[in-house]
Amino acid sequence: MAPLEVARVLARVRMLGVALGRVHFFPAIPSTQDEAIRLARGGAPEGTVVVAARQTQGRGRLGRRWFSPPGAGLYASVVLRPPVPAAQWPVLSVLAGVAVVEALQGLGVAGARLKWPNDALIEGRKVAGILVEAFPDAGFAVLGLGLNASFQGVDVPADLLATATDIESHLPADTDLHDAAAKVLLAVLHSYQRARTDLRLAPERAGRLLWTTGEVEVGGVRGRVAGLTPSGELWLVEEDGRAVAVSVGEVTDARGH
Ligand code: BTN
């Protein structure tokens, strides 16, 4: 299949009928995230979107890089101004991760799951990442979505290939890649629009999407995963039967994920 063209994805998003805010498109940019933060500081309204065909310094969580060559993925950042106390904002990233996984499942990718808090995996390999950066004092957050669309013909580093995948390899054969990428972005935008006034997720529904199951360790807490809280925390039941809600951290499980 041909590489992903961001303009076609955006056209599709518009056709599917979402009221996008102003879209700033860049053929190349260091990071859509940094540009969206810059625009938000300058007063850009909620819903402002920054999209790039490639990023030269794409950023992931925990200071990692996000592989962002042209044609391989969708790189987008959205300005959010949630009208609720900032203490509730941490759920934004889990909500977005849930939306990505639900969208992929809706597209027929049965193996899509959520690695808590916000990585979308397909059969254990990462296909999308969410980066939410919050600036409560300035009244905004920026939500970044990196979606691996097609690695075909792309020189993907070996270490990344071992742990990552693209949607193209898993979509039903007759699916249009641009339509699929648009639906994933739309799902994230819709999920925020639906939840923005209370910022709570439906824990039972979201819990069913979890890749993170069984015995895990998160930030020094070891326990069995028992689901999610409405604020997006992970419930762990420790060996002594005590239930602990963990709000941040990297998960390690027996599968080494
Ligand atoms: C992660 O899983 O570590 C989060 C990855 C987020 C990557 C996206 S791509 C668009 C936006 N711009 C960036 O520099 N990062 C985010």
Side-chain angles (χ1 to χ4, degrees):
M1 199 183 278
L4 190 82
E5 288 170 44
V6 178
R8 280 180 65 186
V9 177
L10 292 174
R12 194 71 202 139
V13 168
R14 290 203 171 91
M15 257 182 73
L16 290 166
V18 105
L20 278 183
R22 179 159 172 209
V23 178
H24 300 252
F25 169 71
F26 295 86
I29 196 170
S31 159
T32 57
Q33 199 76 0
D34 294 339
E35 179 62 10
I37 292 169
R38 196 185 69 74
L39 291 167
R41 284 199 193 288
E46 173 159 277
T48 300
V49 180
V50 180
V51 192
R54 91 180 166 102
Q55 299 182 115
T56 52
Q57 289 167 45
R59 299 192 285 108
R61 289 172 64 228
L62 309 170
R64 298 182 185 133
R65 300 293 297 268
W66 188 259
F67 182 64
S68 315
L74 180 64
Y75 319 117
S77 298
V78 190
V79 175
L80 307 178
R81 298 186 179 275
V84 296
Q88 288 174 249
W89 294 10
V91 74
L92 285 170
S93 59
V94 188
L95 274 170
V98 166
V100 170
V101 171
E102 283 187 336
L104 290 173
Q105 290 193 355
L107 285 159
V109 184
R113 293 285 181 282
L114 177 74
K115 181 183 173 192
W116 185 86
N118 54 12
D119 287 345
L121 309 187
I122 300 179
E123 290 156 20
R125 288 164 181 254
K126 183 154 166 172
V127 71
I130 308 282
L131 177 65
V132 176
E133 294 177 300
F135 301 86
D137 294 343
F140 74 88
V142 168
L143 187 156
L145 166 69
L147 173 71
N148 299 332
S150 169
F151 284 165
Q152 232 185 84
V154 178
D155 194 9
V156 184
D159 57 335
L160 186 64
L161 261 190
T163 58
T165 188
D166 59 3
I167 56 172
E168 185 178 32
S169 310
H170 303 273
L171 288 167
D174 54 352
T175 313
D176 179 87
L177 188 63
H178 296 87
D179 183 63
K183 284 183 174 150
V184 171
L185 177 59
L186 269 173
V188 172
L189 298 172
H190 275 151
S191 127
Y192 173 72
Q193 277 165 10
R194 276 195 307 270
R196 69 188 285 277
T197 52
D198 67 348
L199 288 194
R200 289 169 81 77
L201 55 77
E204 272 158 34
R205 191 167 132 197
R208 284 196 286 274
L209 306 174
L210 280 177
W211 163 265
T212 312
T213 55
E215 297 291 329
V216 301
E217 182 175 329
V218 185
V221 182
R222 258 175 199 279
R224 186 175 42 78
V225 174
L228 294 169
T229 72
S231 345
E233 297 149 306
L234 190 68
W235 274 123
L236 293 184
V237 179
E238 293 181 303
E239 216 174 29
D240 60 7
R242 217 162 48 101
V244 182
V246 205
S247 55
V248 278
E250 278 291 279
V251 176
T252 321
D253 67 15
R255 297 165 292 191
H257 286 283

